Amino acid sequence: MARINFTIEENGYSTREVDKYIELIQAEYSNAVAWGEEMEKKFHDLEESVRDLGIYFTIDENNQNEVINRVFEELNATVEKIKSSAQQKADEIIERANEKSRNIVRQAMENSVELRTENTTIMKNLKSISDMIAVILEKGIQ
C-alpha cells in the first residue's frame, strides 16, 4: 500500500487533506462493494444457468478449477449437441430442397415432352391444312 503523507498543521494533520483522503477511501470501498455484489450476482446467474444444464455443484477453494473445467465440458458438450442438431436440420433442408428441385426438373421435362408432342401434332395438322389449301388452290386456278 502506498504511503500517504499529510501536511502537518498546528493541531495535527491537515483536516482538509484527511477528509479528502477519507472520501477517496469511502468511494473506493463503495466501488469494491458494488463490484463484489455484481460478481456475486453474475456468479449466481452462472450457477443458475449451469443448473439449467443439469449440473449441480458446490464451489470451494479445493474444487473451483475442477468445477470450472466441468462447466466448460458440459457447455462444450451442449454446444456440440446444438451444432450437430443444426447440421442435421440443415442436411434435411438441403435434401428436401434437392428433392423439390428434382421434382421440378422432372415435371419440366415431362411438360417439355408433352409440348413437343403437341407441337409435332400441330405441325402435322398445319402440313395437312397446307397440303389441302395447295390442292384447293391448284384446282381453283385450273
Side-chain angles (χ1 to χ4, degrees):
M1 184 166 158
R3 182 172 166 84
I4 306 300
N5 294 316
F6 297 109
T7 305
I8 298 177
E9 296 179 345
E10 254 180 66
N11 296 327
Y13 293 117
S14 166
T15 306
R16 186 175 45 85
E17 289 177 1
V18 171
D19 287 345
K20 280 186 177 182
Y21 185 69
I22 290 172
E23 285 176 19
L24 177 68
I25 289 174
Q26 286 173 333
E28 287 182 13
Y29 176 77
S30 293
N31 288 340
V33 167
W35 181 81
E37 289 170 351
E38 182 182 339
M39 291 300 108
E40 190 173 318
K41 182 183 178 326
K42 286 183 178 182
F43 177 77
H44 178 71
D45 292 347
L46 176 62
E47 196 172 41
E48 282 184 16
S49 295
V50 169
R51 280 195 184 115
D52 289 344
L53 292 172
I55 307 169
Y56 298 91
F57 58 87
T58 303
I59 295 180
D60 60 32
E61 290 178 15
N62 297 324
N63 73 347
Q64 63 184 336
N65 286 337
E66 178 185 333
V67 169
I68 290 169
N69 286 337
R70 185 169 169 210
V71 167
F72 279 117
E73 287 172 5
E74 290 294 329
L75 289 173
N76 282 333
T78 300
V79 166
E80 288 303 317
K81 286 177 189 174
I82 291 169
K83 282 173 48 179
S84 176
S85 175
Q87 183 62 52
Q88 183 179 0
K89 287 180 182 178
D91 290 344
E92 289 170 4
I93 290 168
I94 290 169
E95 181 55 36
R96 283 194 307 266
N98 284 337
E99 183 62 31
K100 283 183 180 181
S101 68
R102 285 190 293 269
N103 287 338
I104 290 169
V105 168
R106 185 174 27 258
Q107 186 64 43
M109 290 175 72
E110 288 171 5
N111 290 344
S112 175
V113 168
E114 287 175 18
L115 289 174
R116 270 191 245 134
T117 303
E118 287 178 26
N119 187 39
T120 301
T121 303
I122 291 170
M123 292 306 288
K124 284 180 183 177
N125 289 340
L126 285 175
K127 175 73 172 133
S128 294
I129 292 170
S130 175
D131 290 345
M132 285 197 284
I133 292 173
V135 168
I136 292 170
L137 287 176
E138 237 179 65
K139 289 184 179 180
I141 295 177
Q142 294 175 358

